[in-house]
Amino acid sequence: KVILDKVTFGLPAGATLAVVGPSGSGKSSLLQVIAGAYPCSAGEVTIDNIRIEHLNQLARARLIGYLPQSVDLLPGTIRDNICLFSGASDEDVVHAARLAGAHDLIGRLPEGYQSKVGPNGIHLSPGQAQRIGLARAVFGSPVLVILDEPNSALDGEGEIALVRALQHLTAKTTTVLVVAHKPQITATADVFAVMQDGRLTQYGPAESIRSQISVAAKPAPQAAATSDI
């Protein structure tokens, strides 16, 4: 079975795309292909007309920030995980953590940015791991940031931080792709893509698609019950 069937679109640099649709419609698969996690069996994904398979892993990591649904932190320190085990400056690591709203929670950990995660490290809640994963996704100011359900494990404080991060990325003209269901997370989107059964069924300006989705979601009017007296 073809998971993504004839999905074709182009997104201008600096735009924010919200990908919506029911479970199993291909949203996560689409983001994984764009991020380069899975190769295309047909077709291509390009950034500035360069096919992503022609980019080495280092170049891809610099260009693309990716936050998957399930956040895996590698054995090492919080700092290592944010900066992808590179020799980045403390300033750059803290900047990414602040942007993701993770700086304060990291400061509350036993050893701060040097706190170790992994089998012999500290235990992080799913929400904490997701915020550190977001810091990793925005580290180094990538040109494309891909966020798959970035608020799935966040509490209210985390969602506020996420909305601020999206607003910051939009202001910096970073291209953003996000899968989310809550309106506040997709509020900054310029473009909506609606997926259904692996196909792109709608694609266009956010306001136009939002209004169509809103109309479709309204229940059909019911006939009023009447009685003769």
Side-chain angles (χ1 to χ4, degrees):
K1 180 181 178 181
V2 176
I3 298 175
L4 298 173
D5 188 8
K6 300 180 180 65
V7 177
T8 301
F9 64 89
L11 190 66
T16 297
L17 170 66
V19 184
V20 299
S23 298
S25 60
K27 303 185 301 294
S28 293
S29 297
L30 176 63
L31 297 195
Q32 289 166 346
V33 167
I34 294 173
Y38 293 125
C40 296
S41 57
E44 61 185 29
V45 177
T46 64
I47 299 178
D48 289 338
N49 296 317
I50 301 173
R51 295 178 63 159
I52 59 171
E53 64 264 29
H54 294 165
L55 299 170
N56 62 37
Q57 287 187 343
L58 181 58
R60 198 178 299 177
R62 287 174 176 169
L63 288 172
I64 304 172
Y66 177 44
L67 177 64
Q69 276 190 20
S70 178
V71 179
D72 291 320
L73 299 180
L74 299 173
T77 65
I78 297 291
R79 185 189 192 284
D80 291 336
N81 274 274
I82 292 176
C83 70
L84 302 171
F85 293 80
S86 66
S89 67
D90 290 342
E91 181 181 1
D92 288 342
V93 174
V94 171
H95 174 73
R98 287 188 183 279
L99 177 56
H103 177 70
D104 290 341
L105 80 83
I106 294 172
R108 293 192 291 267
L109 297 177
E111 297 180 71
Y113 284 85
Q114 296 303 319
S115 298
K116 289 183 171 55
V117 294
N120 300 316
I122 60 172
H123 174 73
L124 296 175
S125 71
Q128 289 174 320
Q130 195 161 43
R131 288 166 75 173
I132 292 169
L134 177 60
R136 178 172 61 190
V138 301
F139 172 78
S141 300
V143 299
L144 173 62
V145 173
I146 299 173
L147 308 173
D148 192 357
E149 297 282 8
N151 62 321
S152 61
L154 296 182
D155 55 14
E157 179 186 347
E159 286 200 347
I160 291 172
L162 173 61
V163 170
R164 288 175 179 167
L166 289 171
Q167 291 170 340
H168 178 86
L169 292 171
T170 301
K172 287 187 63 178
T173 65
T174 302
T175 305
V176 179
L177 276 68
V178 58
V179 168
H181 298 287
K182 293 189 177 180
Q184 61 266 37
I185 306 302
T186 60
T188 59
D190 307 297
V191 186
F192 263 58
V194 182
M195 297 290 297
Q196 178 73 45
D197 296 326
R199 288 179 172 268
L200 188 61
T201 58
Q202 290 177 283
Y203 184 86
E207 289 306 317
S208 174
I209 302 297
R210 277 198 197 99
S211 64
Q212 293 178 50
I213 294 174
S214 177
V215 170
K218 289 182 179 179
Q222 295 180 350
T226 60
S227 62
D228 294 329
I229 298 177

